[in-house]
RNA sequence: GGUCGCAUAGCUCAGCUGGUUAGAGCGCACGGUUCACAUCCGUGAGGUCGUAGGUUCAAAUCCUACUGCGACCACCA
């Protein structure tokens, strides 16, 4: 990286080679010995492992940029920084991808069989699985690739088994028949979290259920004389599995019916009417049909009452043989139509209402999930949740933004058992074996595959067919990736980790469970800080997604504008946990912030590199005697920037950190300091002044490049490594392993005050020139009155700059009396005025500019403004409440303000008079 | 139904512990071939800080209610 800088900023030309160099030099690698030997404190972030089949999207772009910002920043702060990468086998998701793939060959997974299918998935994963990790390199992530992990690799599988066995031995894993969420398309059970409710416009069907035999009076009757009860349901087809009708015991309307029988239509079964407090008398008719096999509440009810359970659904959600022949084999939705039609034909359909309700959908394939009774494995969560809850309540784990704490707590407080078995082929197979030897029904739960039955010694062992929920491996990620269950050096050095950065969508799926697992299996929280990012959305506020086609491909952005532009844009746009809005149809405007800033950094850097005379400069301390106002000012501002950026990074306010760095670079260094030192660097002249300027410029650039490095790693390194060296200091080979700058050493209030005055003066002259349409090249004379000490100081130091930057020919000084006594006319006629802070006044003779009428109008407006302001302040000061209670310095400030406004008003009105 | 969050310039958002004349980027208008940069420079227009109350000497900032939007949770069939 020592070729000359290209005049045009070309990110493509620097990024790839820099990344390769960082990686080849081992700078991403964290050395556990440095931690164990006490040389450095660790800083660890484990990546939220993307699905192994994933392709990088802007969500990753945002998350991983934040993770890398933190990693790089802490690395520069001297921590042994580990950013641990890896991927998740993503059970259902990956299996679905490969199933679709073989479907194009006209095959199903059953055609291949389990073994061949799993082989096929492995091939697929081996071929394409590292895509996303490659892509993370393109956005500059400084991951320790030597520690890359995969949730289904042997070491991590061992951790999974260890955990399964431990929990089983503790009685926290059990198998049982319960209602679970079943996806009829994926043909597997799902956890509660994997069934996503979606508001849907459905129907509420009111069905008439005739009573069997004699009926008490007071009930409505069918034309044939039978009495009936109305029940309401959103899923009428499930009536074929009804085994009771329930009413509230307090509900007088039904008191006489409790205990009687109903003849279930279509099925022609007799079912009882039972009483249960669960039933809400206010809803619908107050009577509920009970389908224990297909509704969790009904299932619970069946455990409280002696009623039957009829499972009417096959795994693919077609009706099975327990229903009348006419309905067998029908898809559930077909069956729904047919059942409703049958009720209508029989005069049993009371009414159908529109009904908006939440229907659960499979989080992977969006199919409507069916509650279904089946035998599954569960984790008993309560004992695990309690310590995790305590950790947040006691503040040992901190969420940012803080409001997520409540969401986390709420979930843990109402924790439900976790269904962990999946009827899939791709995943960790459940480490349970059943002895099939005649007369033996032993179940073996083991870390290692058993070869014979522990009870009968037989060898006819069959492993459980199911695999584990993919999150059952993810929840171990912070320690399984470090070698657990072995007590490895890595584990000792890098566990617990520090910061977890992820999307709030997986707070329950992943974050909460990791905390539980960390506490349970390591006795220690897996991390102390959780930063929940926002969501990347399009301009309509829709989440970016492949299916909507509103995504932005980060790699396209990298190609167009560079990784630094992408990273800066994303960071600057991401307020504390707020969503990031981007326009997928206008990448140019979306990423303009980052691209333009990167371009600015590049060019400012180039300017400095081209104009510093040698490749070594003196340390600032050595030239302190010749530092000029501008030098002291920019060093002071750099100091402030260091403080701000550091403070903001510490509180996860990345956008503010970016803004502080941006403001310093653009608003102070590029716009002002570079302009101020140009004469000293370009026009020759005083050698000491030049040396001071060079040292200062190098120091300022050095500092801001370091501050920007975590956010914009490439461009900062490309420039930084070419900066002139500071004599007597040894420079690191790359900014990424250089140290984070210290603040609190170069603040200079005097220089800041003087430069502020200077900048205001130049700004005012520019403003007036622009207002009066003075040709840009034309020098004009200005007159200053009431020049106070601070302004005097800045003029003495930088008069040359005023002339150059504001195109001023001569600067005339006047005493305060001049303008007031004789008016501007005395100074040569009408003119433009501006009152500067501190009371000094700027006057530009109108003759230098134009039009008296326009000027008069302008002055009148200004006068109105000042008078308004003065009224406000005077009002405040005449308020006894204020003068009586506000702190003295606040009142003093207000008084000062008032007197300034009065001065301004007097001057403005006298000038206005002089123009009349 | 419960809980939480948001509402500031045309757009996307800052504004951390109440206290100068509420800021940035994009967009817009005007003017610029100044030797780092037109991916640039200078200047400007544009805000009753959602509405109504309240607390306070002082509210974009704290409190209450309302309106609108959003998120999460929840077994009302």
């Amino acid at each position: 990286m020592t070729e000359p800088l290209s005049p045009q900023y070309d990110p493509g030309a620097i990024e790839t080679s820099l990344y390769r160099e960082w990686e080849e030099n081992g700078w991403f690698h964290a050395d556990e010995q440095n931690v164990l030997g006490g040389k450095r404190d660790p800083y660890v972030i484990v990546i939220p492992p993307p699905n192994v089949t994933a392709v990088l999207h802007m969500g990753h772009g945002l998350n991983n940029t934040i993770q890398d910002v933190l990693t790089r920043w802490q690395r520069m702060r001297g921590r042994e920084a580990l950013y641990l990468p890896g991927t998740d086998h993503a059970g259902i998701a990956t299996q679905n991808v490969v199933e679709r793939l073989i479907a194009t060959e006209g095959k199903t997974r059953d055609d291949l069989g389990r073994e061949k299918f799993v082989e096929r998935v492995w091939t697929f994963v081996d071929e394409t699985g590292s895509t996303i990790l490659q892509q993370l390199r393109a956005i500059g992530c400084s991951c320790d690739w030597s520690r890359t992990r995969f949730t289904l690799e042997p070491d991590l599988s061992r951790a999974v088994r260890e955990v399964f066995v431990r929990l089983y031995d503790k009685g926290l894993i059990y198998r049982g028949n319960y209602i679970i969420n079943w996806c009829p398309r994926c043909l597997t059970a799902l956890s509660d979290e994997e069934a996503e409710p979606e508001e849907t416009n459905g129907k509420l069907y009111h069905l008439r259920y005739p009573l069997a035999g004699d009926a008490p009076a007071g009930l409505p009757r069918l034309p044939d004389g039978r009495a009936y009860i109305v029940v309401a349901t959103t899923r009428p087809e499930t009536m074929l599995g009804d085994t009771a009708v329930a009413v509230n015991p307090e509900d007088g309307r039904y008191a006489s019916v409790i205990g009687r029988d109903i003849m279930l239509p279509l099925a022609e079964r007799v079912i009882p009417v039972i009483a249960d407090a669960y039933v809400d008398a206010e809803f619908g008719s107050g009577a509920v049909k009970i389908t224990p096999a297909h509704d969790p509440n009904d299932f619970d009810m069946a455990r409280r009452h002696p009623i039957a359970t009829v499972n009417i659904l096959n795994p693919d959600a077609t009706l099975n043989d327990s229903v009348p022949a006419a309905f067998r084999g029908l898809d559930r939705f077909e069956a729904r139509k047919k059942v409703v039609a049958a009720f209508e034909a029989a005069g049993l359909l009371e009414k159908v209402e529109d009904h908006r309700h939440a229907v659960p959908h499979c989080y992977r394939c969006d199919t409507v999930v069916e509650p279904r009774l089946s035998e599954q494995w569960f984790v008993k969560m309560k004992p695990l949740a309690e310590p995790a809850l305590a950790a947040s309540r006691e503040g040992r784990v901190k969420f940012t933004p803080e409001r997520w704490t409540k969401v986390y707590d709420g979930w843990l407080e109402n924790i439900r058992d976790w269904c962990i078995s999946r009827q899939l082929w791709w995943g960790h197979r459940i480490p349970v074996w059943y002895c099939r030897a005649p007369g033996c029904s032993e179940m073996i739960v083991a870390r290692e595959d058993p070869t014979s039955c522990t009870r009968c010694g037989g060898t006819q062992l069959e492993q459980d067919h199911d695999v584990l929920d993919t999150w059952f491996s993810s929840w171990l990620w912070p320690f399984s990736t470090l070698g657990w269950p072995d007590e490895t050096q890595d584990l000792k050095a890098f566990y617990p980790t520090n910061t977890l950065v992820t999307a709030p969508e997986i707070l329950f799926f992943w974050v909460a469970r990791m905390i539980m697992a960390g506490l349970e299996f390591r006795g220690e929280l897996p991390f102390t800080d959780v930063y929940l990012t926002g969501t990347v959305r399009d301009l309509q506020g829709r989440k970016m997604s492949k299916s909507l086609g509103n995504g932005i491909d980060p790699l396209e952005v990298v190609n167009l504008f560079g990784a630094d532009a992408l990273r800066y844009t994303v960071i600057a746009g991401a307020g504390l946990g707020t969503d990031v809005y981007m326009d997928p149809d206008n990448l140019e405007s979306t990423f303009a912030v980052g691209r333009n800033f990167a371009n600015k950094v590049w060019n400012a850097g180039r300017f400095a590199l081209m104009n510093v005379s040698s490749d070594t400069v003196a340390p600032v301390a050595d030239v302190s005697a010749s530092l000029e106002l501008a030098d002291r000012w920019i060093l002071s501002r750099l100091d402030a920037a260091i403080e701000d950026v550091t403070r903001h990074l510490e509180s996860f306010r990345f956008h503010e950190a970016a803004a502080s760095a941006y403001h310093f670079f653009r608003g102070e260094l590029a716009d002002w300091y570079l302009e101020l030192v140009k004469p000293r660097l370009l026009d020759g002249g005083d050698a000491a002044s030049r040396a001071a300027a060079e040292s200062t410029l190098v120091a300022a650039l050095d500092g801001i490049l370091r501050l920007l490095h975590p956010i914009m790693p490439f461009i900062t390194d490309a420039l930084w490594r070419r900066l002139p060296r500071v004599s007597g200091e040894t420079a690191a080979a790359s900014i990424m392993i250089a140290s984070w700058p210290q603040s609190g050493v170069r603040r200079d209030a005097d220089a800041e005050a003087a430069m502020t005055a200077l900048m205001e003066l130049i700004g005012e002259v520019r403003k007036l020139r622009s207002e009066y349409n003075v040709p840009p090249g034309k020098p004009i004379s200005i007159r200053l009155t009431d020049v106070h000490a601070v302004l005097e100081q800045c003029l003495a130091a930088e008069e040359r700059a005023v002339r150059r930057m504001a195109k001023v020919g001569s600067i005339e000084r006047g005493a305060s009396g001049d303008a007031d006594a004789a008016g501007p006319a005395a100074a040569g006629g009408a003119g433009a005025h501006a009152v500067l802070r501190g009371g000094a006044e700027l006057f530009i003779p109108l003759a230098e500019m134009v039009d008296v009428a326009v000027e008069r109008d302008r002055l009148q407006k200004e006068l109105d403004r000042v008078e308004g302001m003065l009224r406000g302040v005077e009002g405040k000061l005449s308020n006894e409440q204020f003068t009586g209670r506000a702190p003295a310095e606040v009142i003093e400030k207000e008084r000062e303000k008032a007197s300034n406004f009065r001065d301004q008003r007097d001057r403005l009105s006298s000038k206005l008079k002089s123009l009349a």
Side-chain angles (χ1 to χ4, degrees):
Chain A
M1 287 301 301
T2 47
E3 319 85 60
L5 291 179
S6 82
Q8 196 68 38
Y9 168 53
D10 177 11
I14 60 167
E15 293 183 353
T16 318
S17 56
L18 271 175
Y19 194 91
R20 192 181 314 123
E21 191 191 329
W22 294 335
E23 192 173 354
E24 281 168 3
N25 279 303
W27 293 330
F28 299 158
H29 181 70
D31 187 346
E32 70 281 3
Q33 295 308 328
N34 282 342
V35 176
L36 297 173
K39 205 169 140 197
R40 292 171 197 271
D41 288 334
Y43 180 79
V44 187
I45 290 183
V46 288
I47 199 170
N51 290 358
V52 68
T53 59
V55 176
L56 195 74
H57 60 240
M58 281 311 296
H60 300 120
L62 172 63
N63 274 298
N64 292 298
T65 298
I66 290 173
Q67 288 160 44
D68 196 48
V69 167
L70 288 168
T71 304
R72 287 180 181 272
W73 171 52
Q74 295 290 359
R75 190 183 287 122
M76 289 176 79
R77 287 185 128 185
R79 305 277 283 272
E80 193 66 28
L82 170 58
Y83 182 6
L84 195 153
T87 48
D88 194 295
H89 69 283
I92 308 182
T94 305
Q95 176 159 327
N96 285 351
V97 168
V98 176
E99 280 191 86
R100 274 199 296 275
L101 197 71
I102 60 173
T104 63
E105 301 158 15
K107 290 185 191 147
T108 67
R109 64 167 148 144
D110 287 312
D111 293 340
L112 293 187
R114 183 165 190 154
E115 203 174 315
K116 284 266 182 272
F117 179 79
V118 170
E119 255 173 48
R120 185 66 197 266
V121 182
W122 271 112
T123 311
F124 178 76
V125 163
D126 289 341
E127 279 168 5
T128 62
S130 58
T131 306
I132 190 153
L133 300 183
Q134 240 5 86
Q135 293 172 324
L136 288 174
R137 289 173 158 91
I139 63 168
C141 291
S142 58
C143 303
D144 185 346
W145 300 109
S146 71
R147 288 187 165 90
T148 305
R149 296 285 184 269
F150 178 48
T151 52
L152 204 50
E153 72 184 51
D155 283 352
L156 276 72
S157 301
R158 202 155 61 87
V160 164
R161 279 201 180 182
E162 178 70 26
V163 160
F164 189 98
V165 173
R166 281 201 200 179
L167 289 178
Y168 181 82
D169 289 347
K170 244 184 141 173
L172 295 184
I173 280 185
Y174 63 93
R175 189 167 67 141
N177 248 308
Y178 297 94
I179 296 270
I180 43 79
N181 301 291
W182 181 266
C183 176
R185 204 220 58 85
C186 301
L187 298 176
T188 180
L190 300 173
S191 66
D192 292 332
E193 290 70 33
E194 288 169 324
E196 296 183 328
E198 283 175 29
E199 280 291 313
T200 313
N201 289 317
K203 304 271 185 214
L204 188 60
Y205 301 87
H206 296 256
L207 308 179
R208 294 172 177 168
Y209 279 14
L211 265 68
D214 292 344
L219 287 181
R221 303 214 169 230
L222 295 167
D224 63 12
R226 285 182 296 162
Y228 66 89
I229 290 181
V230 174
V231 296
T233 178
T234 54
R235 295 181 295 151
E237 70 282 7
T238 62
M239 61 79 46
L240 294 167
D242 282 2
T243 56
V245 166
V247 298
N248 191 293
E250 310 291 317
D251 192 340
R253 293 174 294 174
Y254 296 113
S256 60
V257 192
I258 295 168
R260 291 179 186 262
D261 286 339
I262 275 174
M263 176 57 74
L264 186 66
L266 308 186
E268 301 303 325
R269 279 189 279 115
V270 171
I271 60 174
V273 177
I274 60 173
D276 193 290
Y278 157 76
V279 181
D280 179 357
E282 304 296 311
F283 188 88
S285 62
V288 196
K289 60 190 273 310
I290 302 299
T291 321
H294 299 289
D295 184 284
N297 303 307
D298 296 3
F299 179 75
D300 287 345
M301 207 164 310
R303 299 169 77 176
R304 293 194 291 268
H305 301 274
I307 56 177
T309 294
V310 177
N311 189 329
I312 61 164
L313 286 178
N314 294 316
D316 63 353
T318 57
L319 300 197
N320 64 23
D321 291 351
S322 62
V323 303
F327 298 96
R328 282 177 202 164
L330 285 181
D331 172 76
R332 53 187 164 156
F333 298 121
E334 285 302 313
R336 178 171 303 175
K337 283 183 202 156
K338 232 176 151 180
V339 164
V340 172
F343 266 78
E344 192 164 18
L348 297 175
L349 184 63
E350 172 111 348
K351 60 178 171 178
V352 181
E353 292 175 323
D354 287 333
H355 184 63
R356 193 163 170 78
H357 61 146
V359 177
H361 288 66
C362 172
Y363 87 136
R364 280 304 165 207
C365 73
D366 209 38
T367 302
V368 174
V369 162
E370 205 59 40
R372 183 164 174 265
L373 185 63
S374 70
E375 182 157 70
Q376 303 289 344
W377 288 92
F378 297 86
V379 178
K380 200 172 184 177
M381 296 303 275
K382 193 132 202 192
L384 300 175
E386 272 160 8
L389 187 55
S392 92
R393 289 198 170 142
E394 290 159 18
R396 285 180 284 129
V397 58
K398 251 187 65 197
F399 295 88
T400 307
E402 215 175 336
R403 61 193 154 89
W404 291 109
T405 313
K406 234 178 171 168
V407 178
Y408 169 91
D409 287 358
W411 187 72
L412 288 174
E413 283 160 9
N414 302 299
I415 194 87
R416 290 185 285 169
D417 285 357
W418 177 13
C419 174
I420 51 170
S421 44
R422 297 289 178 274
Q423 289 64 48
L424 303 172
W425 289 349
W426 175 245
H428 300 95
R429 197 149 169 188
I430 292 182
V432 173
W433 289 260
Y434 307 96
C435 180
R436 297 299 185 213
C440 185
S441 58
E442 185 68 357
M443 185 173 86
I444 303 159
V445 178
R447 291 171 175 83
E448 305 291 339
D449 292 13
T451 49
S452 61
C453 177
T454 44
R455 177 144 159 253
C456 73
T459 54
Q460 292 143 283
L461 295 178
E462 189 180 5
Q463 185 170 6
D464 197 298
H465 289 224
D466 292 350
V467 300
L468 289 161
D469 181 3
T470 203
W471 300 99
F472 196 86
S473 55
S474 324
W475 75 325
L476 315 176
W477 189 248
F479 49 86
S480 65
T481 50
L482 294 171
W484 191 89
D486 294 337
E487 279 301 316
T488 60
Q489 301 278 78
D490 268 11
L491 195 58
K492 284 183 194 135
F494 298 121
Y495 191 90
T497 74
N498 298 81
T499 313
L500 184 86
V501 178
T502 194
E505 292 101 275
I506 53 175
L507 183 60
F508 306 146
F509 275 117
W510 194 49
V511 181
R513 287 177 184 153
M514 274 192 290
I515 292 174
M516 294 189 253
L519 291 169
E520 171 71 16
F521 303 110
R522 290 298 302 165
E524 211 173 350
L525 283 162
F527 32 74
T528 47
D529 279 286
V530 179
Y531 180 81
L532 281 319
T533 64
T535 307
V536 182
R537 301 178 182 280
D538 68 11
L539 293 188
Q540 285 107 67
R542 299 174 307 176
K543 193 173 164 179
M544 286 192 178
S545 77
K546 233 190 266 177
S547 50
L548 280 175
N550 63 345
I552 293 178
D553 176 4
L555 297 184
E556 190 187 345
V557 177
V558 169
N559 285 333
L560 288 170
F561 313 121
D564 289 328
L566 169 80
R567 292 170 62 119
Y568 182 85
T569 302
V570 153
I571 291 292
L576 199 61
T578 60
D579 291 345
V580 183
Y581 290 80
M582 301 192 148
D583 185 356
D585 299 321
N586 194 347
L587 298 184
E588 173 94 16
S589 123
T590 300
F591 293 95
V593 196
R595 182 199 55 175
N596 296 353
F597 185 45
N599 186 64
K600 184 53 120 180
V601 170
W602 183 261
N603 279 297
R606 257 182 78 222
F607 168 82
L609 297 175
M610 284 170 9
N611 292 297
V612 172
S613 55
S614 69
D615 49 12
T616 309
V617 298
V620 169
D622 290 7
V623 294
S624 56
S626 9
L627 290 181
E628 298 182 11
L629 172 62
D631 303 331
R632 287 186 288 119
W633 170 75
I634 198 67
L635 292 170
S636 179
R637 296 311 302 154
L638 173 64
D639 198 288
I642 294 168
E643 191 190 315
D644 289 347
V645 172
T646 308
R647 195 182 68 240
H648 290 136
L649 286 176
E650 274 164 354
S651 56
F652 297 108
R653 278 195 283 266
F654 305 104
H655 61 303
E656 292 291 332
S660 298
Y662 181 96
H663 178 253
F664 173 77
F665 200 106
R666 210 174 231 273
E668 297 178 327
L669 184 60
D671 287 355
W672 290 96
Y673 186 71
L674 291 185
E675 294 304 325
L676 290 168
V677 293
K678 270 179 184 173
R680 292 160 68 192
L681 296 178
L682 301 173
D683 303 347
D686 185 48
S689 169
R690 180 180 182 120
E694 291 189 354
S695 292
T696 305
L697 178 56
V698 169
L701 265 176
D702 170 84
I704 184 60
L705 289 176
R706 289 181 201 229
L707 294 183
L708 279 170
H709 178 258
I711 301 173
M712 310 176 90
F714 294 104
I715 193 170
T716 49
D717 200 20
L719 293 172
W720 188 84
R721 53 178 66 200
R722 290 172 220 243
L723 280 183
R725 289 203 318 202
V726 177
S727 54
E729 291 177 15
T730 43
S734 160
I735 196 172
M736 75 164 284
I737 50 169
S739 64
W740 190 250
Q742 291 292 314
S743 65
V745 288
R746 292 209 175 271
R747 291 310 280 273
D748 186 332
D750 291 344
E752 296 213 6
M755 268 301 297
T756 305
L758 179 77
M759 293 190 291
E760 193 197 7
L761 174 61
I762 292 173
E764 288 296 336
V765 176
R766 282 173 172 171
K767 198 194 305 186
L768 294 175
R769 293 183 61 110
S770 176
E771 270 175 34
Y772 287 88
N773 282 318
V774 182
K778 182 186 173 191
I780 55 173
S781 306
I782 65 170
R783 183 183 166 81
L784 291 169
T785 49
D786 290 339
V787 174
H788 47 87
V790 172
L791 184 59
E792 189 56 62
Q793 190 199 342
C794 91
L795 279 175
E798 292 291 350
E799 186 169 330
R800 189 162 52 158
V802 178
R803 293 178 194 287
R804 216 166 57 82
M805 295 177 72
K807 279 285 175 316
V808 166
S810 72
I811 302 176
E812 211 184 313
R813 311 294 182 84
S816 103
D818 294 357
D820 283 342
H833 308 262
V835 179
L836 305 176
R837 264 176 241 200
E841 196 173 325
L842 167 68
F843 172 68
I844 304 176
L846 205 56
E848 302 259 341
M849 302 188 292
V850 260
D851 216 325
V852 175
V854 173
E855 171 61 5
R856 202 187 295 129
D857 194 46
R858 202 186 65 79
L859 283 176
Q860 185 59 53
K861 272 191 199 147
E862 178 68 9
L863 181 61
D864 292 347
R865 194 180 67 95
V866 170
E867 280 179 336
M869 227 95 83
L870 180 59
R871 271 195 301 276
V873 178
E874 280 177 338
K876 215 171 181 180
L877 284 169
S878 65
N879 182 337
E880 284 173 17
Q881 301 272 43
F882 175 72
T883 48
R885 302 206 201 167
E889 66 263 27
V890 171
I891 298 176
E892 192 44 45
K893 262 189 186 166
E894 292 297 318
R895 291 226 171 90
E896 236 171 76
K897 235 158 75 181
S899 98
N900 278 343
F901 285 145
R902 267 191 289 273
D903 289 354
Q904 289 184 32
R905 179 196 58 191
D906 296 347
R907 277 172 205 156
L908 283 168
S909 53
S910 85
K911 278 164 200 177
L912 206 49
K913 262 181 238 153
S914 79
L915 283 182

